[in-house]
Amino acid sequence: MKLSIRKKRVSRSAGGDFFLFVVLALGAAFMALPLIFMINHAFKPLNEIFLFPPQFFVRNPTFNNFSDLFILMSESWVPFTRYFSNSLVIVIFGTGGHVLAASMGAYVVSKHDFPGKKSFSTIVLLALMFAPQVTAIPNYIILSRIGWINTLYSMIIPAWAFPLGFYLMSKFMSQIPDTLLEAAKIDGATEFSTFWKIVMPFVKPAWLTLMILSFQQLWINTGGRFIYTEAIKPLPAALFQIAAAGVARQGVFAAVQLILAAVPILLFVFNQSKIVETMGTSGID
Amino acid sequence: MSTELGLENRNSFTYKWQKKIKEIKESRVSYLFLAPFGLIFFAFVVFPVIMSIGLSFTSYNMLESPVWIGIDNYTRLFLADDVFLIAVKNTFVFAVITGPFSYILSLLLAWMINEFRPKIRSIFTLLFYAPFISGNAFFVWTIFFSGDAYGYLNAFLMDWNIINEPILWLQEPQWILPVVIFVVLWMSFGTAFLVFIAGLQNIDSKLYEAGAIDGIKNRWQELWFITLPSMRPQLMFGAIMAITQSFAASAQAIALAGFPSVDYAARTVVTHLIDYGTVRFEMGYAATIATVLFLTMVITQRVVQNLLNKVGE
């Protein structure tokens, strides 16, 4: 099927294909080498980390850096599991709330007609340009007035209103055939059950995309300005504190980087096709 | 006559409002669905922007209540703040290089990747997207650009006799900005890149068949005459992402060059904002910087939108 379509298209010269492949391979190698280095670095024993001239690949891989990290964490008075569960709570509730709130809102914006809908969409589009730093100070003031500074709410609730997720979701939902929704209504479904039983299953690829995007932001967030109590800090804050203790901790620092980077990358690997499918519907006319 | 007309107008005015209110009442369910996102969105995204604009006309230190000082912050920012001028210059250099470069590279690479079969395509997509999604992987570069002879780049360059003594990549003002730009470009294949890949896959293959019949000779012509014009919405979306990213990048600058950086060589509008907002607690002044930054982004986006509307014309 694919082949027959290709045949009707302009012919591709083998030389051109080869040229493109070489360019891409070089580019990809450049992109990947620092990451491969990072992986290798995390498994190097101390004598290889400070070896000169430096070695790119690890020769005697060891898990010492990781075990050191866990030993160091177990020595601190807040146990590792506590940091980890803080991060888990932030990521699960932040992401879950975002997917649900954005889906509900995106559903009516893409499928219903109501006064104010146009202006709301315009503001969301404009909000794609709000750099987080622009809103950081007022956000702090607002959160402190509500009394959410130094609570996990300060990280979870604002994450629900991530405009990029809402935008992608509403673009994806506008693909749902109207006849499908009308049929459900004729069968006597309420608005909520239409949303829950027809719309949500239909946009499954888009949820995964929103989850990844939201996860990516929350996972590496140290909570810096908002959380001061050690016992409710998320994992990255603890990891960076441990790794920051100078040159002797370089191996541990590499392990920290690897742990933090690996999770979102692996999530992307398993959901790539779904994410690309969602992105395909986005675009601004 | 005139009173009649006035009455009629008033009638139609109230009629309009009654109709509107009726519509609003009828869309109760829609508002209910929008409420969770809408309320939080207004509270933590829209309202802060409005508040930032308001605070930019005040002097505010978080302890005492804000004092209205008119446009003093703006005159101070543009006329009396030397460091801000450096920040503007750096931001401009930075945005002009990273914005267009990452945009065009994303597009070009997405197009190249799309020429291959799905398996190869997804491997390449992953490799280019990985630095962006890894979030903090740019720390790796601090080892490469380390300033002593043991820094990897220095070690290589000295090994090959290109330089005699180590270069302090992250301490010498003339090197800081180029290094930061380089690292930001390395991790700039993000959301826009994925959107381009997806957009390319969604183009109707009939367009290409028609193009082949109409005399398009090779893939380069195909790219210019068919592919780019049919991707205009994705190009627009990508432009917004590129503008925001290039104006707002600060984490990399701070991680690599320190804060504050030597001679303010890596000072951008955003790091200037962070300085006044979180170090000096001059919230009114910080809000002024934020407002200027936001307006610059919106204006740039308008200009770029007009340019993109000319693609394929």
Side-chain angles (χ1 to χ4, degrees):
Chain A
M1 181 66 186
K2 265 259 143 72
L3 263 177
S4 67
I5 292 169
R6 261 205 121 94
K7 265 182 192 160
K8 275 181 206 160
R9 287 177 61 172
V10 171
S11 65
R12 262 82 174 121
S13 65
D17 270 341
F18 182 71
F19 170 73
L20 288 187
F21 189 82
V22 170
V23 171
L24 272 181
L26 287 175
F30 170 73
M31 297 300 286
L33 282 177
L35 296 176
I36 296 170
F37 174 81
M38 183 171 87
I39 297 168
N40 275 287
H41 214 59
F43 290 100
K44 282 178 189 168
L46 207 59
N47 60 338
E48 280 186 47
I49 286 174
F50 295 109
L51 203 62
F52 192 83
Q55 295 291 317
F56 192 87
F57 291 107
V58 54
R59 277 181 298 188
N60 302 305
T62 160
F63 280 99
N64 279 351
N65 293 326
F66 294 91
S67 54
D68 283 356
L69 177 64
F70 289 109
I71 290 167
L72 283 165
M73 289 202 81
S74 65
E75 280 168 359
S76 68
W77 63 270
V78 178
F80 171 78
T81 47
R82 185 67 206 256
Y83 289 117
F84 185 73
S85 62
N86 290 337
S87 266
L88 218 57
V89 166
I90 291 170
V91 165
I92 289 175
F93 286 98
T95 303
H98 172 58
V99 172
L100 194 66
S103 306
M104 286 175 71
Y107 166 56
V108 290
V109 164
S110 62
K111 285 293 160 195
H112 286 185
D113 216 4
F114 57 91
K117 170 181 132 170
K118 271 247 164 65
S119 15
F120 190 79
S121 313
T122 313
I123 296 172
V124 170
L125 195 59
L126 202 64
L128 294 180
M129 271 181 290
F130 296 170
Q133 293 89 348
V134 171
T135 53
I137 291 163
N139 254 328
Y140 181 87
I141 298 172
I142 293 167
L143 285 169
S144 70
R145 284 284 152 84
I146 313 176
W148 282 357
I149 292 295
N150 212 11
T151 67
L152 291 182
Y153 295 122
S154 65
M155 299 191 63
I156 294 169
I157 310 289
W160 292 7
F162 179 40
L164 181 61
F166 180 88
Y167 180 77
L168 292 173
M169 186 55 102
S170 65
K171 284 283 173 176
F172 198 80
M173 279 186 175
S174 55
Q175 292 188 103
I176 302 174
D178 287 331
T179 47
L180 195 67
L181 301 177
E182 277 156 27
K185 233 160 259 169
I186 290 166
D187 287 347
T190 61
E191 204 60 68
F192 190 79
S193 65
T194 311
F195 167 74
W196 195 248
K197 295 206 176 109
I198 294 168
V199 174
M200 283 305 263
F202 191 94
V203 295
K204 225 171 180 177
W207 301 355
L208 286 167
T209 307
L210 263 59
M211 281 182 194
I212 302 265
L213 290 175
S214 161
F215 178 90
Q216 188 209 359
Q217 295 208 329
L218 293 171
W219 173 247
I220 56 162
N221 201 325
T222 55
R225 247 183 309 238
F226 299 132
I227 294 179
Y228 303 103
T229 306
E230 199 59 36
I232 59 167
K233 277 188 179 168
L235 187 60
L239 291 177
F240 280 122
Q241 272 166 24
I242 285 173
V247 83
R249 296 270 174 86
Q250 242 210 46
V252 174
F253 189 48
V256 165
Q257 281 180 358
L258 184 60
I259 292 172
L260 288 180
V263 179
I265 291 178
L266 285 176
L267 273 174
F268 178 72
V269 169
F270 293 117
N271 298 298
Q272 188 182 6
S273 60
K274 301 266 167 44
I275 294 171
V276 170
E277 190 186 331
T278 311
M279 300 283 186
T281 57
S282 68
I284 296 162
D285 311 305
Chain B
M1 185 73 183
S2 65
T3 48
E4 256 180 53
L5 207 70
L7 200 69
E8 206 181 292
N9 265 344
R10 204 164 58 209
N11 275 342
S12 72
F13 182 74
T14 48
Y15 173 72
K16 247 185 177 167
W17 269 104
Q18 274 165 356
K19 206 178 136 200
K20 198 100 201 168
I21 288 166
K22 203 175 149 229
E23 263 179 73
I24 290 175
K25 274 187 183 154
E26 275 167 2
S27 353
R28 264 198 318 271
V29 183
S30 305
Y31 292 116
L32 217 62
F33 268 79
L34 192 58
F37 182 86
L39 291 177
I40 298 166
F41 176 68
F42 271 98
F44 293 106
V45 182
V46 180
F47 183 62
V49 172
I50 298 167
M51 196 168 149
S52 189
I53 296 171
L55 279 178
S56 74
F57 297 104
T58 65
S59 169
Y60 182 35
N61 58 9
M62 300 277 290
L63 299 172
E64 300 149 74
S65 33
V67 180
W68 184 267
I69 54 166
I71 60 161
D72 280 8
N73 281 329
Y74 288 91
T75 51
R76 175 180 161 202
L77 187 65
F78 287 110
L79 301 176
D81 189 340
D82 297 339
V83 180
F84 180 66
L85 293 181
I86 298 174
V88 167
K89 196 202 83 199
N90 286 341
T91 307
F92 189 73
V93 170
F94 187 83
V96 163
I97 296 174
T98 60
F101 252 88
S102 81
Y103 184 70
I104 291 167
L105 274 179
S106 293
L107 183 61
L108 213 62
L109 286 168
W111 173 72
M112 285 180 174
I113 287 171
N114 197 51
E115 294 282 290
F116 292 95
R117 274 168 293 135
K119 270 254 164 58
I120 304 179
R121 205 191 278 162
S122 55
I123 292 170
F124 276 131
T125 308
L126 170 69
L127 289 175
F128 282 101
Y129 189 60
F132 176 81
I133 203 175
S134 67
N136 67 338
F138 57 82
F139 281 105
V140 164
W141 291 102
T142 53
I143 304 175
F144 284 82
F145 287 112
S146 182
D148 51 19
Y150 296 97
Y152 289 179
L153 187 61
N154 279 332
F156 283 124
L157 290 176
M158 284 166 74
D159 230 25
W160 297 335
N161 288 324
I162 296 172
I163 54 170
N164 292 322
E165 47 188 53
I167 295 175
L168 297 164
W169 297 104
L170 299 168
Q171 280 95 46
E172 279 174 31
Q174 87 238 45
W175 291 110
I176 293 175
L177 199 59
V179 168
V180 173
I181 288 175
F182 172 82
V183 173
V184 168
L185 277 177
W186 176 70
M187 58 182 304
S188 70
F189 298 98
T191 317
F193 174 65
L194 289 188
V195 167
F196 291 155
I197 287 180
L200 285 162
Q201 285 176 25
N202 285 357
I203 297 175
D204 191 351
S205 57
K206 287 196 186 84
L207 282 177
Y208 292 108
E209 288 163 32
I213 295 164
D214 286 347
I216 279 178
K217 286 188 201 69
N218 51 43
R219 57 179 125 200
W220 314 99
Q221 284 189 348
E222 217 177 62
L223 171 70
W224 184 247
F225 290 113
I226 300 173
T227 310
L228 287 184
S230 15
M231 278 188 46
R232 206 172 288 151
Q234 280 86 8
L235 292 179
M236 205 50 243
F237 180 82
I240 289 195
M241 291 288 123
I243 290 167
T244 316
Q245 266 177 38
S246 64
F247 276 111
S250 61
Q252 294 94 334
I254 292 174
L256 289 165
F259 181 68
S261 47
V262 179
D263 274 2
Y264 302 112
R267 169 75 58 133
T268 63
V269 175
V270 171
T271 53
H272 202 53
L273 163 63
I274 294 172
D275 191 1
Y276 278 95
T278 61
V279 181
R280 304 175 202 223
F281 290 105
E282 293 190 36
M283 295 301 165
Y285 196 60
T288 311
I289 301 170
T291 306
V292 169
L293 179 67
F294 176 61
L295 290 179
T296 315
M297 283 185 190
V298 174
I299 292 166
T300 317
Q301 191 266 335
R302 285 273 141 208
V303 173
V304 170
Q305 188 168 15
N306 286 335
L307 282 176
L308 283 176
N309 279 333
K310 290 189 178 110
V311 167
E313 266 170 21

